[in-house]
Amino acid sequence: MRLSYPSDIKIIRVPCTGKVDVLHLLHSIEKGADGVCVVGCLEGDCRFKSGNLKARKRVEQAQKILDTIGIGGERVAMYNLSSGEGPLFAQYAREMHEKILSLGPNPIKAHRKKAA
Amino acid sequence: MIVADKKPIEEIIGYVQDANRILILGCNECVTVCEAGGKKEVGVLASALRMHFLQQGREVKVDERTLERQCDHEYLEEIRDIADQYDAIVSLACGVGIQFTAEKYHSRPVYPGVDTCFLGVTEERGVWTERCQACGKCVLAETGAVCPVSRCAKRLLNGPCGGSTNGKCELNPELPCAWQLIIDRLTALNRLDEYEKLMPIKDWSTDRAGGPRKVVREDVQS
């Protein structure tokens, strides 16, 4: 399809979104990622039955923690699509990219630089 | 197992607000099983605290360590060499572990990272229910192994009370009546005649009524 999506999005492949833990999401932000989106299969279509549903709960937990500590939970998001929906993936990637651009860079990075 | 629940992060932040070096201390036993204070929860809390302090412009050292148990001297000794490095220790063990850590490291402030709830079972992942109140004098032999002390809201020893409706407690329509469970269980065991026997007044001195308790077993003492 050769669809384009923002080049500063780095894809990390996992066997199933059920593999993604709150800790992975928090560590990504702690290490300086401006945002993280988890892209899973459509709900009800998980090959491992409930991996994407678990992922959604973990994304919500991470959002809650990030809101509590003042980083902002909107830096973490969950999307669902089927593997045949390339254009939708590109659209979600652009959406997330625009959301992060509007939020600005991860505040942790700036504070870490100052502290160093 | 001892069931605990996570404390809100903002509450823990309040405890350690002024510290510069913090140790988050997990426990590999009950609180790991009930997903409140194991290695993973230690990682999540430590990461959240590091980000919180960085957000405030402070680089606070937040270290992570999870011990096999916090209710035994031998495991708590594992942090003997490092405990002095910290201004605050947040223990994610149950109330027992938190206190024992504080007793052992007297000069370090130790704060709770969980709320210890009860002695219970995992009904399903994410759902835990109470089964024992450690009253010190077990009556399960007489009640078909259903505990009226922990599972009856009134701790009735000769129940049920008039609030039992359709097998549920008057406190909450989802809460099973312990005495209904006892009757059902005794019926299944073909021992319902035992239900007719009145249970004598319970000796509550082995419960909290007798103050803090102690078990001394000379046969296993060294």
Side-chain angles (χ1 to χ4, degrees), chain A residues 21-23 26-27 29-30 58 65-66 68-71 107-108 111-112 115, chain B residues 6 9-10 13 40 43-44 47-52 54-57 59 64 125:
Chain A
D21 194 77
V22 186
L23 212 46
L26 292 183
H27 279 171
I29 301 291
E30 190 186 344
R58 290 166 191 163
I65 292 171
L66 292 171
T68 304
I69 59 176
I71 306 288
I108 295 286
H111 289 302
R112 182 162 276 149
Chain B
K6 291 199 264 188
I9 289 177
E10 50 269 48
I13 289 172
K40 196 183 97 179
V44 169
S47 178
L49 287 180
R50 280 191 293 266
M51 285 195 276
H52 166 76
L54 268 175
Q55 169 86 338
Q56 288 192 328
E59 185 139 28
E64 305 168 22
R125 193 167 175 203

PDB file of all heavy atoms in Angstrom, chain A residues 21-23 26-27 29-30 58 65-66 68-71 107-108 111-112 115, chain B residues 6 9-10 13 40 43-44 47-52 54-57 59 64 125:
ATOM      1  N   ASP A  21       2.646  -4.419  29.377  1.00  0.00           N
ATOM      2  CA  ASP A  21       2.319  -4.212  30.787  1.00  0.00           C
ATOM      3  C   ASP A  21       2.330  -2.721  31.123  1.00  0.00           C
ATOM      4  O   ASP A  21       2.924  -1.926  30.392  1.00  0.00           O
ATOM      5  CB  ASP A  21       3.370  -4.944  31.630  1.00  0.00           C
ATOM      6  CG  ASP A  21       2.918  -5.065  33.063  1.00  0.00           C
ATOM      7  OD1 ASP A  21       2.072  -5.921  33.320  1.00  0.00           O
ATOM      8  OD2 ASP A  21       3.376  -4.269  33.919  1.00  0.00           O
ATOM      9  N   VAL A  22       1.717  -2.379  32.248  1.00  0.00           N
ATOM     10  CA  VAL A  22       1.741  -0.976  32.721  1.00  0.00           C
ATOM     11  C   VAL A  22       3.185  -0.512  32.828  1.00  0.00           C
ATOM     12  O   VAL A  22       3.522   0.630  32.504  1.00  0.00           O
ATOM     13  CB  VAL A  22       1.122  -0.863  34.138  1.00  0.00           C
ATOM     14  CG1 VAL A  22       1.014   0.575  34.561  1.00  0.00           C
ATOM     15  CG2 VAL A  22      -0.212  -1.532  34.204  1.00  0.00           C
ATOM     16  N   LEU A  23       4.035  -1.442  33.290  1.00  0.00           N
ATOM     17  CA  LEU A  23       5.437  -1.103  33.506  1.00  0.00           C
ATOM     18  C   LEU A  23       6.122  -0.687  32.196  1.00  0.00           C
ATOM     19  O   LEU A  23       6.906   0.258  32.165  1.00  0.00           O
ATOM     20  CB  LEU A  23       6.130  -2.338  34.100  1.00  0.00           C
ATOM     21  CG  LEU A  23       7.279  -2.127  35.060  1.00  0.00           C
ATOM     22  CD1 LEU A  23       6.975  -1.083  36.100  1.00  0.00           C
ATOM     23  CD2 LEU A  23       7.635  -3.443  35.729  1.00  0.00           C
ATOM     24  N   LEU A  26       4.909   2.878  31.422  1.00  0.00           N
ATOM     25  CA  LEU A  26       5.500   3.892  32.306  1.00  0.00           C
ATOM     26  C   LEU A  26       6.985   4.070  32.013  1.00  0.00           C
ATOM     27  O   LEU A  26       7.493   5.193  31.958  1.00  0.00           O
ATOM     28  CB  LEU A  26       5.304   3.504  33.776  1.00  0.00           C
ATOM     29  CG  LEU A  26       3.876   3.522  34.305  1.00  0.00           C
ATOM     30  CD1 LEU A  26       3.853   3.188  35.782  1.00  0.00           C
ATOM     31  CD2 LEU A  26       3.206   4.872  34.080  1.00  0.00           C
ATOM     32  N   HIS A  27       7.700   2.949  31.814  1.00  0.00           N
ATOM     33  CA  HIS A  27       9.136   3.050  31.537  1.00  0.00           C
ATOM     34  C   HIS A  27       9.396   3.800  30.233  1.00  0.00           C
ATOM     35  O   HIS A  27      10.367   4.538  30.126  1.00  0.00           O
ATOM     36  CB  HIS A  27       9.768   1.651  31.475  1.00  0.00           C
ATOM     37  CG  HIS A  27      10.056   1.098  32.846  1.00  0.00           C
ATOM     38  ND1 HIS A  27      10.452  -0.193  33.060  1.00  0.00           N
ATOM     39  CD2 HIS A  27      10.008   1.670  34.073  1.00  0.00           C
ATOM     40  CE1 HIS A  27      10.632  -0.394  34.365  1.00  0.00           C
ATOM     41  NE2 HIS A  27      10.358   0.727  34.996  1.00  0.00           N
ATOM     42  N   ILE A  29       7.647   6.278  28.991  1.00  0.00           N
ATOM     43  CA  ILE A  29       7.501   7.710  29.276  1.00  0.00           C
ATOM     44  C   ILE A  29       8.658   8.174  30.155  1.00  0.00           C
ATOM     45  O   ILE A  29       9.245   9.240  29.915  1.00  0.00           O
ATOM     46  CB  ILE A  29       6.143   8.002  29.972  1.00  0.00           C
ATOM     47  CG1 ILE A  29       4.962   7.559  29.094  1.00  0.00           C
ATOM     48  CG2 ILE A  29       6.022   9.472  30.352  1.00  0.00           C
ATOM     49  CD1 ILE A  29       4.723   8.366  27.837  1.00  0.00           C
ATOM     50  N   GLU A  30       9.023   7.355  31.128  1.00  0.00           N
ATOM     51  CA  GLU A  30      10.127   7.734  32.036  1.00  0.00           C
ATOM     52  C   GLU A  30      11.432   7.902  31.257  1.00  0.00           C
ATOM     53  O   GLU A  30      12.239   8.772  31.559  1.00  0.00           O
ATOM     54  CB  GLU A  30      10.284   6.658  33.118  1.00  0.00           C
ATOM     55  CG  GLU A  30      11.232   7.089  34.227  1.00  0.00           C
ATOM     56  CD  GLU A  30      11.509   5.976  35.240  1.00  0.00           C
ATOM     57  OE1 GLU A  30      10.772   4.969  35.281  1.00  0.00           O
ATOM     58  OE2 GLU A  30      12.489   6.136  35.986  1.00  0.00           O
ATOM     59  N   ARG A  58      -4.676  -2.048  30.975  1.00  0.00           N
ATOM     60  CA  ARG A  58      -3.344  -1.593  31.401  1.00  0.00           C
ATOM     61  C   ARG A  58      -3.070  -0.177  30.900  1.00  0.00           C
ATOM     62  O   ARG A  58      -2.453   0.620  31.597  1.00  0.00           O
ATOM     63  CB  ARG A  58      -2.281  -2.573  30.908  1.00  0.00           C
ATOM     64  CG  ARG A  58      -2.404  -3.887  31.667  1.00  0.00           C
ATOM     65  CD  ARG A  58      -1.641  -4.993  31.025  1.00  0.00           C
ATOM     66  NE  ARG A  58      -2.016  -6.254  31.652  1.00  0.00           N
ATOM     67  CZ  ARG A  58      -1.776  -7.439  31.127  1.00  0.00           C
ATOM     68  NH1 ARG A  58      -1.155  -7.539  29.966  1.00  0.00           N
ATOM     69  NH2 ARG A  58      -2.136  -8.526  31.762  1.00  0.00           N
ATOM     70  N   ILE A  65      -2.230   6.708  36.341  1.00  0.00           N
ATOM     71  CA  ILE A  65      -1.000   7.017  37.084  1.00  0.00           C
ATOM     72  C   ILE A  65      -0.370   8.288  36.532  1.00  0.00           C
ATOM     73  O   ILE A  65       0.036   9.182  37.285  1.00  0.00           O
ATOM     74  CB  ILE A  65      -0.010   5.821  36.998  1.00  0.00           C
ATOM     75  CG1 ILE A  65      -0.570   4.617  37.764  1.00  0.00           C
ATOM     76  CG2 ILE A  65       1.370   6.207  37.542  1.00  0.00           C
ATOM     77  CD1 ILE A  65       0.194   3.328  37.582  1.00  0.00           C
ATOM     78  N   LEU A  66      -0.308   8.394  35.207  1.00  0.00           N
ATOM     79  CA  LEU A  66       0.317   9.575  34.597  1.00  0.00           C
ATOM     80  C   LEU A  66      -0.478  10.844  34.910  1.00  0.00           C
ATOM     81  O   LEU A  66       0.103  11.914  35.106  1.00  0.00           O
ATOM     82  CB  LEU A  66       0.467   9.380  33.083  1.00  0.00           C
ATOM     83  CG  LEU A  66       1.485   8.309  32.676  1.00  0.00           C
ATOM     84  CD1 LEU A  66       1.407   8.019  31.186  1.00  0.00           C
ATOM     85  CD2 LEU A  66       2.911   8.736  33.048  1.00  0.00           C
ATOM     86  N   THR A  68      -2.187  11.249  37.701  1.00  0.00           N
ATOM     87  CA  THR A  68      -1.946  11.509  39.131  1.00  0.00           C
ATOM     88  C   THR A  68      -0.634  12.248  39.345  1.00  0.00           C
ATOM     89  O   THR A  68      -0.544  13.141  40.189  1.00  0.00           O
ATOM     90  CB  THR A  68      -1.898  10.168  39.912  1.00  0.00           C
ATOM     91  OG1 THR A  68      -3.102   9.478  39.672  1.00  0.00           O
ATOM     92  CG2 THR A  68      -1.727  10.390  41.398  1.00  0.00           C
ATOM     93  N   ILE A  69       0.403  11.851  38.590  1.00  0.00           N
ATOM     94  CA  ILE A  69       1.719  12.454  38.846  1.00  0.00           C
ATOM     95  C   ILE A  69       1.964  13.697  37.985  1.00  0.00           C
ATOM     96  O   ILE A  69       3.059  14.258  38.009  1.00  0.00           O
ATOM     97  CB  ILE A  69       2.863  11.431  38.656  1.00  0.00           C
ATOM     98  CG1 ILE A  69       2.856  10.858  37.236  1.00  0.00           C
ATOM     99  CG2 ILE A  69       2.763  10.316  39.680  1.00  0.00           C
ATOM    100  CD1 ILE A  69       4.020   9.931  36.958  1.00  0.00           C
ATOM    101  N   GLY A  70       0.952  14.100  37.259  1.00  0.00           N
ATOM    102  CA  GLY A  70       1.046  15.372  36.555  1.00  0.00           C
ATOM    103  C   GLY A  70       1.688  15.325  35.176  1.00  0.00           C
ATOM    104  O   GLY A  70       1.979  16.359  34.580  1.00  0.00           O
ATOM    105  N   ILE A  71       1.920  14.128  34.635  1.00  0.00           N
ATOM    106  CA  ILE A  71       2.505  14.028  33.285  1.00  0.00           C
ATOM    107  C   ILE A  71       1.401  14.120  32.235  1.00  0.00           C
ATOM    108  O   ILE A  71       1.604  14.644  31.146  1.00  0.00           O
ATOM    109  CB  ILE A  71       3.264  12.671  33.108  1.00  0.00           C
ATOM    110  CG1 ILE A  71       4.302  12.464  34.201  1.00  0.00           C
ATOM    111  CG2 ILE A  71       3.887  12.548  31.729  1.00  0.00           C
ATOM    112  CD1 ILE A  71       5.518  13.331  34.115  1.00  0.00           C
ATOM    113  N   PRO A 107       7.503  16.277  29.412  1.00  0.00           N
ATOM    114  CA  PRO A 107       8.143  17.190  30.384  1.00  0.00           C
ATOM    115  C   PRO A 107       9.296  16.549  31.139  1.00  0.00           C
ATOM    116  O   PRO A 107      10.208  17.250  31.602  1.00  0.00           O
ATOM    117  CB  PRO A 107       7.001  17.542  31.338  1.00  0.00           C
ATOM    118  CG  PRO A 107       5.946  16.524  31.135  1.00  0.00           C
ATOM    119  CD  PRO A 107       6.090  16.027  29.755  1.00  0.00           C
ATOM    120  N   ILE A 108       9.288  15.237  31.229  1.00  0.00           N
ATOM    121  CA  ILE A 108      10.361  14.536  31.950  1.00  0.00           C
ATOM    122  C   ILE A 108      11.722  14.837  31.314  1.00  0.00           C
ATOM    123  O   ILE A 108      12.711  15.035  31.996  1.00  0.00           O
ATOM    124  CB  ILE A 108      10.110  12.990  31.906  1.00  0.00           C
ATOM    125  CG1 ILE A 108       8.849  12.650  32.649  1.00  0.00           C
ATOM    126  CG2 ILE A 108      11.285  12.206  32.413  1.00  0.00           C
ATOM    127  CD1 ILE A 108       8.950  12.733  34.137  1.00  0.00           C
ATOM    128  N   HIS A 111      13.048  18.279  32.312  1.00  0.00           N
ATOM    129  CA  HIS A 111      13.448  18.314  33.717  1.00  0.00           C
ATOM    130  C   HIS A 111      14.713  17.510  33.949  1.00  0.00           C
ATOM    131  O   HIS A 111      15.552  17.880  34.750  1.00  0.00           O
ATOM    132  CB  HIS A 111      12.306  17.793  34.602  1.00  0.00           C
ATOM    133  CG  HIS A 111      11.151  18.721  34.674  1.00  0.00           C
ATOM    134  ND1 HIS A 111      11.270  20.017  35.129  1.00  0.00           N
ATOM    135  CD2 HIS A 111       9.851  18.558  34.345  1.00  0.00           C
ATOM    136  CE1 HIS A 111      10.087  20.603  35.073  1.00  0.00           C
ATOM    137  NE2 HIS A 111       9.216  19.744  34.586  1.00  0.00           N
ATOM    138  N   ARG A 112      14.844  16.390  33.221  1.00  0.00           N
ATOM    139  CA  ARG A 112      16.032  15.542  33.391  1.00  0.00           C
ATOM    140  C   ARG A 112      17.265  16.310  32.918  1.00  0.00           C
ATOM    141  O   ARG A 112      18.299  16.260  33.556  1.00  0.00           O
ATOM    142  CB  ARG A 112      15.862  14.237  32.622  1.00  0.00           C
ATOM    143  CG  ARG A 112      17.040  13.310  32.798  1.00  0.00           C
ATOM    144  CD  ARG A 112      16.701  11.901  32.424  1.00  0.00           C
ATOM    145  NE  ARG A 112      16.067  11.202  33.522  1.00  0.00           N
ATOM    146  CZ  ARG A 112      15.165  10.246  33.383  1.00  0.00           C
ATOM    147  NH1 ARG A 112      14.778   9.894  32.194  1.00  0.00           N
ATOM    148  NH2 ARG A 112      14.643   9.658  34.431  1.00  0.00           N
ATOM    149  N   ALA A 115      18.115  18.811  35.554  1.00  0.00           N
ATOM    150  CA  ALA A 115      18.675  18.162  36.742  1.00  0.00           C
ATOM    151  C   ALA A 115      20.118  17.720  36.494  1.00  0.00           C
ATOM    152  O   ALA A 115      20.936  17.702  37.410  1.00  0.00           O
ATOM    153  CB  ALA A 115      17.811  16.975  37.139  1.00  0.00           C
TER     154      ALA A 115
ATOM    155  N   LYS B   6      -3.615  -1.789  46.893  1.00  0.00           N
ATOM    156  CA  LYS B   6      -2.639  -0.710  46.663  1.00  0.00           C
ATOM    157  C   LYS B   6      -3.128   0.598  47.271  1.00  0.00           C
ATOM    158  O   LYS B   6      -4.316   0.910  47.201  1.00  0.00           O
ATOM    159  CB  LYS B   6      -2.441  -0.518  45.161  1.00  0.00           C
ATOM    160  CG  LYS B   6      -1.725  -1.679  44.514  1.00  0.00           C
ATOM    161  CD  LYS B   6      -1.152  -1.293  43.189  1.00  0.00           C
ATOM    162  CE  LYS B   6      -2.078  -1.660  42.068  1.00  0.00           C
ATOM    163  NZ  LYS B   6      -1.481  -1.479  40.745  1.00  0.00           N
ATOM    164  N   ILE B   9      -1.337   6.493  44.821  1.00  0.00           N
ATOM    165  CA  ILE B   9       0.025   7.020  44.675  1.00  0.00           C
ATOM    166  C   ILE B   9       0.161   8.386  45.354  1.00  0.00           C
ATOM    167  O   ILE B   9       1.184   8.680  45.976  1.00  0.00           O
ATOM    168  CB  ILE B   9       0.409   7.095  43.182  1.00  0.00           C
ATOM    169  CG1 ILE B   9       0.599   5.672  42.646  1.00  0.00           C
ATOM    170  CG2 ILE B   9       1.694   7.896  42.961  1.00  0.00           C
ATOM    171  CD1 ILE B   9       0.917   5.573  41.193  1.00  0.00           C
ATOM    172  N   GLU B  10      -0.913   9.208  45.262  1.00  0.00           N
ATOM    173  CA  GLU B  10      -0.809  10.549  45.852  1.00  0.00           C
ATOM    174  C   GLU B  10      -0.583  10.479  47.363  1.00  0.00           C
ATOM    175  O   GLU B  10       0.103  11.326  47.937  1.00  0.00           O
ATOM    176  CB  GLU B  10      -2.008  11.428  45.497  1.00  0.00           C
ATOM    177  CG  GLU B  10      -3.383  10.832  45.728  1.00  0.00           C
ATOM    178  CD  GLU B  10      -3.932  10.095  44.514  1.00  0.00           C
ATOM    179  OE1 GLU B  10      -3.185   9.270  43.940  1.00  0.00           O
ATOM    180  OE2 GLU B  10      -5.102  10.309  44.169  1.00  0.00           O
ATOM    181  N   ILE B  13       3.058   9.628  47.831  1.00  0.00           N
ATOM    182  CA  ILE B  13       3.851  10.825  47.512  1.00  0.00           C
ATOM    183  C   ILE B  13       3.874  11.758  48.728  1.00  0.00           C
ATOM    184  O   ILE B  13       4.908  12.305  49.091  1.00  0.00           O
ATOM    185  CB  ILE B  13       3.286  11.563  46.269  1.00  0.00           C
ATOM    186  CG1 ILE B  13       3.573  10.741  45.010  1.00  0.00           C
ATOM    187  CG2 ILE B  13       3.883  12.970  46.131  1.00  0.00           C
ATOM    188  CD1 ILE B  13       2.902  11.269  43.750  1.00  0.00           C
ATOM    189  N   LYS B  40       6.483  -6.380  40.482  1.00  0.00           N
ATOM    190  CA  LYS B  40       5.922  -5.529  39.437  1.00  0.00           C
ATOM    191  C   LYS B  40       5.353  -4.235  40.020  1.00  0.00           C
ATOM    192  O   LYS B  40       5.589  -3.140  39.493  1.00  0.00           O
ATOM    193  CB  LYS B  40       4.823  -6.280  38.677  1.00  0.00           C
ATOM    194  CG  LYS B  40       4.501  -5.611  37.368  1.00  0.00           C
ATOM    195  CD  LYS B  40       3.388  -6.300  36.650  1.00  0.00           C
ATOM    196  CE  LYS B  40       2.093  -5.587  36.943  1.00  0.00           C
ATOM    197  NZ  LYS B  40       0.961  -6.186  36.250  1.00  0.00           N
ATOM    198  N   GLY B  43       8.018  -1.889  40.800  1.00  0.00           N
ATOM    199  CA  GLY B  43       8.497  -1.204  39.591  1.00  0.00           C
ATOM    200  C   GLY B  43       7.581  -0.072  39.179  1.00  0.00           C
ATOM    201  O   GLY B  43       8.030   1.026  38.825  1.00  0.00           O
ATOM    202  N   VAL B  44       6.275  -0.316  39.233  1.00  0.00           N
ATOM    203  CA  VAL B  44       5.300   0.706  38.820  1.00  0.00           C
ATOM    204  C   VAL B  44       5.372   1.912  39.756  1.00  0.00           C
ATOM    205  O   VAL B  44       5.440   3.062  39.309  1.00  0.00           O
ATOM    206  CB  VAL B  44       3.866   0.108  38.796  1.00  0.00           C
ATOM    207  CG1 VAL B  44       2.816   1.202  38.636  1.00  0.00           C
ATOM    208  CG2 VAL B  44       3.730  -0.917  37.685  1.00  0.00           C
ATOM    209  N   SER B  47       8.716   3.842  39.331  1.00  0.00           N
ATOM    210  CA  SER B  47       8.729   4.619  38.085  1.00  0.00           C
ATOM    211  C   SER B  47       7.856   5.872  38.239  1.00  0.00           C
ATOM    212  O   SER B  47       8.254   6.977  37.849  1.00  0.00           O
ATOM    213  CB  SER B  47       8.221   3.737  36.938  1.00  0.00           C
ATOM    214  OG  SER B  47       8.176   4.456  35.746  1.00  0.00           O
ATOM    215  N   ALA B  48       6.667   5.689  38.832  1.00  0.00           N
ATOM    216  CA  ALA B  48       5.753   6.826  39.020  1.00  0.00           C
ATOM    217  C   ALA B  48       6.385   7.878  39.925  1.00  0.00           C
ATOM    218  O   ALA B  48       6.298   9.085  39.654  1.00  0.00           O
ATOM    219  CB  ALA B  48       4.433   6.341  39.603  1.00  0.00           C
ATOM    220  N   LEU B  49       7.053   7.438  41.005  1.00  0.00           N
ATOM    221  CA  LEU B  49       7.670   8.403  41.927  1.00  0.00           C
ATOM    222  C   LEU B  49       8.822   9.147  41.248  1.00  0.00           C
ATOM    223  O   LEU B  49       8.954  10.360  41.394  1.00  0.00           O
ATOM    224  CB  LEU B  49       8.182   7.691  43.191  1.00  0.00           C
ATOM    225  CG  LEU B  49       7.115   7.217  44.191  1.00  0.00           C
ATOM    226  CD1 LEU B  49       7.761   6.538  45.380  1.00  0.00           C
ATOM    227  CD2 LEU B  49       6.234   8.358  44.663  1.00  0.00           C
ATOM    228  N   ARG B  50       9.651   8.415  40.496  1.00  0.00           N
ATOM    229  CA  ARG B  50      10.778   9.067  39.801  1.00  0.00           C
ATOM    230  C   ARG B  50      10.244  10.144  38.862  1.00  0.00           C
ATOM    231  O   ARG B  50      10.767  11.261  38.826  1.00  0.00           O
ATOM    232  CB  ARG B  50      11.595   8.033  39.008  1.00  0.00           C
ATOM    233  CG  ARG B  50      12.569   7.230  39.857  1.00  0.00           C
ATOM    234  CD  ARG B  50      13.526   6.429  38.997  1.00  0.00           C
ATOM    235  NE  ARG B  50      12.861   5.373  38.268  1.00  0.00           N
ATOM    236  CZ  ARG B  50      12.759   4.113  38.692  1.00  0.00           C
ATOM    237  NH1 ARG B  50      13.316   3.752  39.826  1.00  0.00           N
ATOM    238  NH2 ARG B  50      12.125   3.206  37.983  1.00  0.00           N
ATOM    239  N   MET B  51       9.185   9.802  38.111  1.00  0.00           N
ATOM    240  CA  MET B  51       8.637  10.785  37.166  1.00  0.00           C
ATOM    241  C   MET B  51       8.012  11.962  37.907  1.00  0.00           C
ATOM    242  O   MET B  51       8.159  13.105  37.496  1.00  0.00           O
ATOM    243  CB  MET B  51       7.597  10.106  36.262  1.00  0.00           C
ATOM    244  CG  MET B  51       8.226   9.226  35.215  1.00  0.00           C
ATOM    245  SD  MET B  51       7.072   8.773  33.924  1.00  0.00           S
ATOM    246  CE  MET B  51       6.258   7.373  34.644  1.00  0.00           C
ATOM    247  N   HIS B  52       7.343  11.666  39.023  1.00  0.00           N
ATOM    248  CA  HIS B  52       6.702  12.743  39.789  1.00  0.00           C
ATOM    249  C   HIS B  52       7.748  13.756  40.264  1.00  0.00           C
ATOM    250  O   HIS B  52       7.564  14.970  40.124  1.00  0.00           O
ATOM    251  CB  HIS B  52       5.955  12.168  40.993  1.00  0.00           C
ATOM    252  CG  HIS B  52       5.561  13.188  42.001  1.00  0.00           C
ATOM    253  ND1 HIS B  52       4.494  14.046  41.819  1.00  0.00           N
ATOM    254  CD2 HIS B  52       6.117  13.530  43.197  1.00  0.00           C
ATOM    255  CE1 HIS B  52       4.400  14.855  42.855  1.00  0.00           C
ATOM    256  NE2 HIS B  52       5.368  14.566  43.712  1.00  0.00           N
ATOM    257  N   LEU B  54      10.846  14.198  39.115  1.00  0.00           N
ATOM    258  CA  LEU B  54      11.484  14.886  37.977  1.00  0.00           C
ATOM    259  C   LEU B  54      10.593  16.010  37.471  1.00  0.00           C
ATOM    260  O   LEU B  54      11.054  17.092  37.123  1.00  0.00           O
ATOM    261  CB  LEU B  54      11.729  13.892  36.841  1.00  0.00           C
ATOM    262  CG  LEU B  54      13.102  13.214  36.837  1.00  0.00           C
ATOM    263  CD1 LEU B  54      13.154  12.166  35.743  1.00  0.00           C
ATOM    264  CD2 LEU B  54      14.237  14.222  36.646  1.00  0.00           C
ATOM    265  N   GLN B  55       9.294  15.727  37.463  1.00  0.00           N
ATOM    266  CA  GLN B  55       8.302  16.722  37.029  1.00  0.00           C
ATOM    267  C   GLN B  55       8.379  17.959  37.915  1.00  0.00           C
ATOM    268  O   GLN B  55       8.123  19.067  37.488  1.00  0.00           O
ATOM    269  CB  GLN B  55       6.922  16.048  37.112  1.00  0.00           C
ATOM    270  CG  GLN B  55       5.744  16.921  36.973  1.00  0.00           C
ATOM    271  CD  GLN B  55       5.400  17.104  35.498  1.00  0.00           C
ATOM    272  OE1 GLN B  55       6.239  16.931  34.642  1.00  0.00           O
ATOM    273  NE2 GLN B  55       4.190  17.478  35.218  1.00  0.00           N
ATOM    274  N   GLN B  56       8.745  17.731  39.182  1.00  0.00           N
ATOM    275  CA  GLN B  56       8.876  18.850  40.133  1.00  0.00           C
ATOM    276  C   GLN B  56      10.258  19.476  40.070  1.00  0.00           C
ATOM    277  O   GLN B  56      10.584  20.350  40.866  1.00  0.00           O
ATOM    278  CB  GLN B  56       8.653  18.335  41.555  1.00  0.00           C
ATOM    279  CG  GLN B  56       7.227  17.988  41.871  1.00  0.00           C
ATOM    280  CD  GLN B  56       7.039  17.778  43.360  1.00  0.00           C
ATOM    281  OE1 GLN B  56       7.951  17.325  44.051  1.00  0.00           O
ATOM    282  NE2 GLN B  56       5.875  18.109  43.851  1.00  0.00           N
ATOM    283  N   GLY B  57      11.096  18.951  39.159  1.00  0.00           N
ATOM    284  CA  GLY B  57      12.442  19.490  39.017  1.00  0.00           C
ATOM    285  C   GLY B  57      13.438  18.905  40.001  1.00  0.00           C
ATOM    286  O   GLY B  57      14.525  19.460  40.199  1.00  0.00           O
ATOM    287  N   GLU B  59      15.688  15.463  41.097  1.00  0.00           N
ATOM    288  CA  GLU B  59      16.096  14.111  40.722  1.00  0.00           C
ATOM    289  C   GLU B  59      16.268  13.301  42.001  1.00  0.00           C
ATOM    290  O   GLU B  59      17.284  13.381  42.681  1.00  0.00           O
ATOM    291  CB  GLU B  59      17.390  14.110  39.909  1.00  0.00           C
ATOM    292  CG  GLU B  59      17.730  12.715  39.413  1.00  0.00           C
ATOM    293  CD  GLU B  59      18.248  12.681  37.982  1.00  0.00           C
ATOM    294  OE1 GLU B  59      18.840  13.691  37.573  1.00  0.00           O
ATOM    295  OE2 GLU B  59      18.061  11.653  37.309  1.00  0.00           O
ATOM    296  N   GLU B  64      14.622   0.070  43.815  1.00  0.00           N
ATOM    297  CA  GLU B  64      13.625  -1.007  43.930  1.00  0.00           C
ATOM    298  C   GLU B  64      14.286  -2.261  44.485  1.00  0.00           C
ATOM    299  O   GLU B  64      15.387  -2.602  44.082  1.00  0.00           O
ATOM    300  CB  GLU B  64      13.072  -1.349  42.534  1.00  0.00           C
ATOM    301  CG  GLU B  64      12.515  -0.167  41.786  1.00  0.00           C
ATOM    302  CD  GLU B  64      12.235  -0.470  40.315  1.00  0.00           C
ATOM    303  OE1 GLU B  64      12.076  -1.646  39.954  1.00  0.00           O
ATOM    304  OE2 GLU B  64      12.191   0.492  39.532  1.00  0.00           O
ATOM    305  N   ARG B 125      -9.137 -13.839  39.371  1.00  0.00           N
ATOM    306  CA  ARG B 125      -8.124 -12.803  39.299  1.00  0.00           C
ATOM    307  C   ARG B 125      -8.771 -11.428  39.525  1.00  0.00           C
ATOM    308  O   ARG B 125      -9.745 -11.077  38.844  1.00  0.00           O
ATOM    309  CB  ARG B 125      -7.406 -12.821  37.954  1.00  0.00           C
ATOM    310  CG  ARG B 125      -6.170 -11.979  38.018  1.00  0.00           C
ATOM    311  CD  ARG B 125      -5.249 -12.170  36.863  1.00  0.00           C
ATOM    312  NE  ARG B 125      -4.174 -11.191  37.012  1.00  0.00           N
ATOM    313  CZ  ARG B 125      -3.435 -10.753  36.026  1.00  0.00           C
ATOM    314  NH1 ARG B 125      -3.605 -11.216  34.820  1.00  0.00           N
ATOM    315  NH2 ARG B 125      -2.502  -9.854  36.257  1.00  0.00           N
TER     316      ARG B 125
END
